[in-house]
C-alpha cells in the first residue's frame, strides 16, 4: 500500500513537468520555409556584380524598391495573419488538447487512483471503528454470557441439591416395589385364611368337625400326641411318653408369631403349626351338628338352630379375621431379602453371615430372602436408624433431611393404616361379644315372659 502511494505521487509530478514542457515548446517553435533566390524578369540573376555602392544604388532603384515594398507588405500581412489566425488557432488547439489531457488525467487520477484510495482509506478507518465496536460488543456479550452461565450453574447446583436422591431415599425407593408385592400377599392371605377355617366351624362335610365335637376332639388329640405333646407337662400325665417334633409350638404365640418378622407360610409344617395355634385361641371346640331330620321336617326349632349356627360362624370368623390379620402382616412375598440384609448390616461372605452395624441376629432374617411387609416396616422404621451410615447420609445434604421426613411420614401413615385396620377388626370382635351378651341377658321378644297367660 505504501509503494502504490509513492508511484502515484511520481506519476503526478512527471505529468505536470511534461505538460509545462509541451506548452513551452509549442509557444516557441517557429516554422521555417525554404529560401528561394529572386529571379529577375530579364531571365538573368538579380545579383549585381560590381562595387557595393553600385549595388546599393541599383537596389534602391525603382524596380527594386517597389519589390522590397511589395515583399515587406506581403510578409507583414502574412505575418499578421499567421500570428493572429494560425498562431491563435494552434495555441487554442494546443490549449484545448492540454485541457482535455488534464481533464482526462484528473478523471483517471480521481476515479482510478485518488477516489478508490480514499474509499479504501475510509473503509479501513470505518472498518477499524466497526471492528472495535464489534469487539466491544463481543466483550459485553461474553460478560453477559458468563453472568448467565454462572446463574445457570447456580440454579443447576441448587436444583441438583434439591432433586438429587440420597442413599436413604434410594433405600425407600428400592423397598417400594417389594412393599407392594408383600402387601398384595398379605391382603390375599388375610382374606383366605379365615375363610379356610369356616368349613370346620360350620361342620362341613369332609372337615374335621363334620361329626361334631367328639370326633373332632379325637382328631385334635391325635394331632397333639403326634406333634405337640410334652411328656413333662401336667405332672407327667400329658398323654404321651415321647415328645413330638414340634413340642409346645401350638401354644407359643410369641415364638411363632410376634418373635418372627416374617413367618414362612410356604413351609407346610410352619403353616400347619400357625393354623393349629390360632385354632387353639379362636375355636378349640366346634358345635354339634343339627340332626338332619330337625331341618328337613320344617321344624321351627330346627330352623332356629340353623340360624343360630350362622350367627356362631360369623362371630368365629370375626375372631379368625383378627388373629389372621396379625399373621398376614408377616406373610412373605416381597423378594427383597438380599437388600434388607445389606441395610441391616449383614454381609454374606465365605465364612457365612456376619453381624453388621445394625447388630441384628441373622436368625431373624426372612427365610428364602422373601421378607414380609412387617419385616420391611421393621427395618425402615427401627433397625436402619441403629447404624452410623444412616446418620452420615443425613448430613451429606441439608435437603436430604426434608426428603427423609417425607419418607418417615409415609411409613408412619402406613403404620397408622395398619392400626386402623386392626381397630376395625377389634370393633367387629367387640360387636360380636356385645351381641352375645345382649342375647344372653335380654329376650328378643317384648317382655312376653312377664305377661300373664290366659
Amino acid at each position: 500500500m505504501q509503494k502504490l502511494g509513492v508511484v502515484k505521487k511520481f506519476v503526478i509530478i512527471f505529468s505536470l513537468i511534461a505538460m509545462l514542457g509541451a506548452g513551452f515548446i509549442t509557444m516557441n517553435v517557429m516554422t521555417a520555409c525554404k529560401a528561394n533566390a529572386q529571379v529577375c524578369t530579364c531571365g538573368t540573376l538579380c545579383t549585381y556584380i560590381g562595387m557595393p555602392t553600385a549595388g546599393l544604388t541599383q537596389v534602391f532603384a525603382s524596380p527594386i524598391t517597389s519589390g522590397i515594398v511589395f515583399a515587406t507588405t506581403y510578409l507583414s500581412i502574412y505575418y499578421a495573419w499567421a500570428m493572429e489566425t494560425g498562431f491563435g488557432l494552434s495555441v487554442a488547439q494546443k490549449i484545448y488538447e492540454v485541457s482535455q489531457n488534464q481533464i482526462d488525467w484528473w478523471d483517471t487520477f480521481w476515479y482510478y487512483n485518488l477516489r478508490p484510495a480514499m474509499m479504501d482509506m475510509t473503509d479501513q478507518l470505518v472498518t477499524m471503528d466497526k471492528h472495535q465496536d464489534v469487539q466491544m460488543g463481543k466483550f459485553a456479550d461474553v460478560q453477559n454470557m458468563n453472568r448467565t452461565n454462572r446463574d445457570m450453574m447456580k440454579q443447576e447446583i441448587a436444583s441438583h441439591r434439591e432433586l438429587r436422591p440420597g442413599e436413604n431415599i434410594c433405600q425407600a425407593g428400592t423397598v417400594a416395589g417389594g412393599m407392594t408385592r408383600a402387601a398384595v400377599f398379605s391382603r390375599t392371605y388375610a382374606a383366605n385364611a379365615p375363610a379356610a377355617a369356616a368349613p370346620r366351624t360350620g361342620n362341613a362335610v369332609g372337615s374335621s368337625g363334620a361329626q361334631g365335637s367328639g370326633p373332632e376332639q379325637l382328631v385334635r388329640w391325635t394331632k397333639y400326641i403326634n406333634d405337640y405333646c410334652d411328656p413333662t407337662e401336667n405332672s407327667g400325665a400329658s398323654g404321651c411318653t415321647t415328645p413330638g417334633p414340634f413340642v409346645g409350638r401350638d401354644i407359643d404365640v410369641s415364638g411363632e408369631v410376634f418373635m418372627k418378622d416374617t413367618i414362612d407360610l410356604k413351609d407346610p409344617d410352619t403353616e400347619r403349626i400357625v393354623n393349629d395355634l390360632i385354632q387353639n385361641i379362636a375355636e378349640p371346640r366346634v358345635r354339634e351338628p343339627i340332626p338332619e331330620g330337625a331341618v328337613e321336617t320344617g321344624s321351627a326349632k330346627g330352623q332356629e338352630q340353623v340360624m343360630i349356627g350362622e350367627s356362631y360362624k360369623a362371630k368365629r370368623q370375626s375372631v379368625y379375621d383378627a388373629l389372621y390379620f396379625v399373621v398376614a402382616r408377616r406373610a412373605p412375598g416381597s423378594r427383597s431379602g438380599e437388600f434388607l440384609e445389606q441395610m441391616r448390616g449383614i454381609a454374606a461372605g465365605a465364612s457365612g453371615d456376619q453381624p453388621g452395624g445394625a447388630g441384628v441376629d441373622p436368625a431373624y432374617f426372612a427365610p428364602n430372602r422373601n421378607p414380609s411387609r412387617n419385616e420391611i416396616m421393621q427395618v425402615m422404621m427401627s433397625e436402619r436408624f441403629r447404624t452410623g451410615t444412616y446418620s452420615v447420609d443425613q448430613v451429606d445434604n441439608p435437603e436430604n433431611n426434608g426428603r427423609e421426613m417425607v419418607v418417615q411420614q409415609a411409613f408412619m401413615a402406613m403404620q397408622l393404616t395398619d392400626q386402623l385396620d386392626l381397630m376395625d377388626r377389634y370393633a367387629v370382635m367387640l360387636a360380636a361379644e356385645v351381641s352375645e351378651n345382649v342375647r344372653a341377658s335380654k329376650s328378643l321378644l317384648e317382655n312376653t315372659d312377664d305377661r300373664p297367660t290366659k
Side-chain angles (χ1 to χ4, degrees):
M1 192 69 185
Q2 185 69 22
K3 291 182 179 180
L4 183 59
V6 174
V7 173
K8 289 182 180 180
K9 292 180 180 179
F10 177 78
V11 171
I12 294 171
I13 296 172
F14 181 77
S15 299
L16 290 174
I17 295 174
M19 182 183 66
L20 294 175
F24 177 79
I25 294 173
T26 302
M27 300 295 296
N28 290 277
V29 172
M30 298 181 62
T31 303
C33 298
K34 293 182 179 181
N36 294 321
Q38 185 175 1
V39 180
C40 297
T41 57
C42 57
T44 60
L45 296 174
C46 293
T47 304
Y48 182 77
I49 301 173
M51 292 298 291
T53 57
L56 292 173
T57 302
Q58 189 64 31
V59 168
F60 286 103
S62 178
I64 296 174
T65 302
S66 59
I68 293 172
V69 171
F70 175 79
T72 303
T73 303
Y74 176 81
L75 291 174
S76 298
I77 295 172
Y78 180 80
Y79 179 78
W81 176 83
M83 290 300 293
E84 294 179 2
T85 303
F87 180 76
L89 292 176
S90 299
V91 171
Q93 182 179 4
K94 290 299 181 179
I95 292 174
Y96 177 77
E97 292 179 357
V98 171
S99 299
Q100 291 299 318
N101 291 335
Q102 289 182 347
I103 291 173
D104 293 339
W105 185 87
W106 282 110
D107 288 343
T108 302
F109 175 72
W110 171 253
Y111 287 106
Y112 293 96
N113 294 282
L114 184 61
R115 185 172 181 269
M118 295 176 66
M119 292 176 64
D120 293 340
M121 181 179 67
T122 304
D123 290 341
Q124 292 177 359
L125 295 176
V126 173
T127 301
M128 289 298 297
D129 294 338
K130 294 299 181 183
H131 183 70
Q132 184 178 7
D133 295 339
V134 171
Q135 294 298 323
M136 296 298 294
K138 289 181 179 180
F139 293 154
D141 292 341
V142 170
Q143 291 178 349
N144 294 330
M145 186 181 298
N146 289 336
R147 295 190 187 99
T148 303
N149 292 334
R150 182 183 60 188
D151 294 338
M152 290 180 62
M153 287 188 290
K154 289 182 178 179
Q155 294 177 4
E156 289 177 356
I157 293 174
S159 299
H160 182 68
R161 290 183 57 182
E162 293 175 359
L163 303 177
R164 180 180 62 188
E167 182 66 24
N168 296 324
I169 301 301
C170 293
Q171 292 175 358
T174 303
V175 301
M179 196 72 168
T180 303
R181 284 176 48 87
V184 171
F185 279 99
S186 177
R187 286 195 299 266
T188 304
Y189 181 81
N192 291 290
R200 175 177 176 272
T201 303
N203 307 113
V205 177
S207 65
S208 60
Q211 302 300 322
S213 61
E216 204 276 334
Q217 285 293 326
L218 179 60
V219 173
R220 295 184 65 242
W221 175 260
T222 303
K223 187 187 298 183
Y224 164 74
I225 294 297
N226 294 331
D227 295 334
Y228 308 114
C229 183
D230 185 359
T232 63
E233 288 187 354
N234 197 30
S235 300
S238 58
C240 65
T241 57
T242 303
F246 309 112
V247 173
R249 293 184 63 178
D250 61 333
I251 60 174
D252 188 7
V253 179
S254 297
E256 296 298 325
V257 178
F258 297 111
M259 292 299 294
K260 294 180 180 179
D261 292 333
T262 299
I263 301 175
D264 187 13
L265 297 175
K266 291 185 177 182
D267 181 46
D269 293 333
T270 302
E271 182 183 14
R272 179 164 51 86
I273 292 170
V274 171
N275 291 334
D276 293 340
L277 175 63
I278 293 178
Q279 189 179 96
N280 287 335
I281 298 173
E283 194 178 19
R285 292 183 299 274
V286 298
R287 297 176 69 247
E288 297 294 338
I290 301 172
E292 183 177 354
V295 179
E296 292 179 352
T297 59
S299 171
K301 192 67 174 178
Q303 295 175 358
E304 181 182 2
Q305 291 299 318
V306 172
M307 298 309 297
I308 292 174
E310 292 299 311
S311 175
Y312 173 80
K313 287 189 291 183
K315 295 172 182 177
R316 290 299 173 183
Q317 278 293 299
S318 67
V319 177
Y320 276 118
D321 184 70
L323 295 175
Y324 274 113
F325 176 77
V326 178
V327 177
R329 295 186 73 254
R330 291 165 171 78
S334 66
R335 294 184 180 178
S336 57
E338 182 178 359
F339 177 72
L340 289 183
E341 288 181 6
Q342 296 176 2
M343 292 179 62
R344 285 176 153 183
I346 301 298
S351 59
D353 293 336
Q354 301 295 328
V360 179
D361 190 343
Y364 291 102
F365 283 3
N368 301 322
R369 293 188 175 182
N370 198 11
S372 64
R373 182 167 58 124
N374 178 74
E375 184 169 0
I376 296 176
M377 295 292 293
Q378 177 70 17
V379 173
M380 296 300 296
M381 297 300 293
S382 175
E383 294 178 0
R384 71 185 182 122
F385 303 132
R386 305 175 190 175
T387 64
T389 304
Y390 173 83
S391 301
V392 172
D393 291 338
Q394 284 306 115
V395 299
D396 182 21
N397 256 349
E399 290 76 9
N400 285 339
N401 296 321
R403 286 189 282 266
E404 180 62 21
M405 289 180 62
V406 175
V407 173
Q408 293 185 16
Q409 290 173 357
F411 280 100
M412 289 179 63
M414 287 188 282
Q415 285 185 332
L416 292 175
T417 301
D418 292 340
Q419 292 181 5
L420 181 61
D421 293 339
L422 189 59
M423 289 295 294
D424 291 340
R425 287 164 173 80
Y426 177 75
V428 173
M429 288 182 59
L430 184 61
E433 183 180 2
V434 170
S435 66
E436 186 69 22
N437 294 335
V438 170
R439 182 179 180 278
S441 60
K442 301 290 185 179
S443 175
L444 299 178
L445 302 177
E446 295 180 358
N447 299 326
T448 55
D449 296 339
D450 298 335
R451 292 179 182 180
T453 59
K454 294 182 180 180

